[in-house]
Amino acid sequence: RAKSEGRNLYRFFEPKMDAMVQTRRALEVDLETALPRQEFDLDFQPIMNIASGEITGAEALMRWHSPVRGTVAPDQFIPVAEDIGLIVPLGEWALRKACAAAAGWPPGLRIAVNVSAVQLRSDGFARSVISALAFSGVPAGQLELEITETVLMDESKAVLKALRQLRDLGIRIALDDFGTGYSSLGYLRRFPVDKIKIDRSFIRDIGNRDTAAIVRTIIGLGTELGIVVTAEGVETELQLDMLRDNGCTEAQGYLIGVPSKAADIQRLLKSRAPRSQTG
Ligand code: C2E
Ligand code: MG
Ligand code: MG
Ligand code: MG
């Protein structure tokens, strides 16, 4: 009985499943050719020191301009790129491109690059980072790698070893989307990070009493640990005021600046960088 039911279910879902598999397969095919066809680009979003109002750097955000699909958001193509292994060469491309852009910025400004867990686990990751720095001439202290909590919960020693090696060189490690993962916090003892980025879902709901308490607690945690706390997705003056009142170090979001082309961000950085670093 179970067998025939299973067969019926299969028949019922078959056309829909087929369509999904084909849609996905088509996306994979387009993605595989996108890198050699130079369809990827990076936008850069400024990050501001809240106390001084100065721009301290920018985060590189990947864009896929597909001739047939239009501009595809990273949330839609990064997971697929991870599945088909494309994330390794694609991530390497992003690192090189981001460092090349940062080489033209005033000295001292930081470039943040997102790194996927799959990319981190790949052989030669640390080497590819070091090579991107050497090729561009950007000092290690100006590069920041954004990773997610799950990366630090990875049991594999190789990942922690690679991260430690990079950190020893002066490269900074930031925890992206903080608060959305398992947040056991135990990993913060095993691997010290340089920055925590509060996920934008908390900033969006910062008007809520409980959410505000969580945000204050994360800022307090960062202060106690002596590391930078950056709020993501800051869109209103009210949100920025609350963050300033509670001693949050940095803000990033549409209020400060939207992700922009390399040339535009370079202009902005030259006009709003800390004086001591531009002169
Ligand atoms: P993320 O690293 O947390 O980046 C922040 C995201 O929030 C970006 O979305 C940015 O455009 C968006 N954002 C910034 N300010 C605001 C705001 O005020 N309001 C709202 N609603 N959104 C804001 P984006 O560019 O679509 O990127 C999504 C995610 O894709 C990133 O989240 C990151 O996890 C991933 N990603 C982007 N570029 C790369 C990359 O080069 N490599 C890897 N592995 N992942 C990347
Ligand atoms: Mg990020
Ligand atoms: Mg984030
Ligand atoms: Mg994210």
Side-chain angles (χ1 to χ4, degrees), residues 20 23 37 39 51 78 81 101 119 134 137 142 152 199 205 229 252 255 265:
M20 277 167 62
T23 306
R37 290 186 184 162
E39 293 168 12
I78 299 271
Q119 195 187 343
Q142 280 177 237
L152 293 186
D199 189 70
D205 295 339
V229 179
Q252 181 179 356
L255 179 70
I265 206 76

Side-chain angles (χ1 to χ4, degrees), residues 39 61 64 100 141 149 213 248 275:
E39 293 168 12
L61 295 163
W64 177 21
E149 288 162 297
C248 187
R275 290 235 173 278

Side-chain angles (χ1 to χ4, degrees), residues 152-278:
L152 293 186
M153 297 179 67
D154 195 320
E155 336 56 272
S156 99
K157 297 263 187 304
V159 167
L160 292 183
K161 196 180 149 211
L163 281 176
R164 208 158 273 134
Q165 185 194 349
L166 293 171
R167 199 160 179 267
D168 287 346
L169 291 172
I171 292 163
R172 300 159 54 91
I173 308 293
L175 269 186
D176 207 351
D177 306 340
F178 188 79
T180 57
Y182 295 98
S183 300
S184 77
L185 297 184
Y187 60 78
L188 285 176
R189 289 197 305 162
R190 276 189 298 136
F191 191 87
V193 298
D194 302 282
K195 177 186 279 196
I196 288 174
K197 298 189 79 173
I198 310 176
D199 189 70
R200 75 164 183 265
S201 56
F202 294 99
I203 309 305
R204 188 187 53 219
D205 295 339
I206 213 166
N208 174 285
R209 261 188 57 205
D210 294 345
T211 308
I214 295 171
V215 170
R216 278 196 300 271
T217 303
I218 299 176
I219 295 170
L221 173 68
T223 308
E224 291 288 321
L225 292 172
I227 62 180
V228 172
V229 179
T230 305
E232 300 192 277
V234 179
E235 295 183 355
T236 70
E237 290 288 351
L238 219 65
Q239 291 166 343
L240 186 61
D241 287 345
M242 189 277 189
L243 292 162
R244 182 185 295 111
D245 290 346
N246 288 285
C248 187
T249 330
E250 296 181 333
Q252 181 179 356
Y254 297 163
L255 179 70
I256 290 78
V258 295
S260 310
K261 299 280 149 243
D264 296 328
I265 206 76
Q266 187 178 29
R267 244 190 315 278
L268 175 85
L269 290 174
K270 283 186 169 161
S271 67
R272 286 194 55 190
R275 290 235 173 278
S276 59
Q277 293 175 348
T278 52

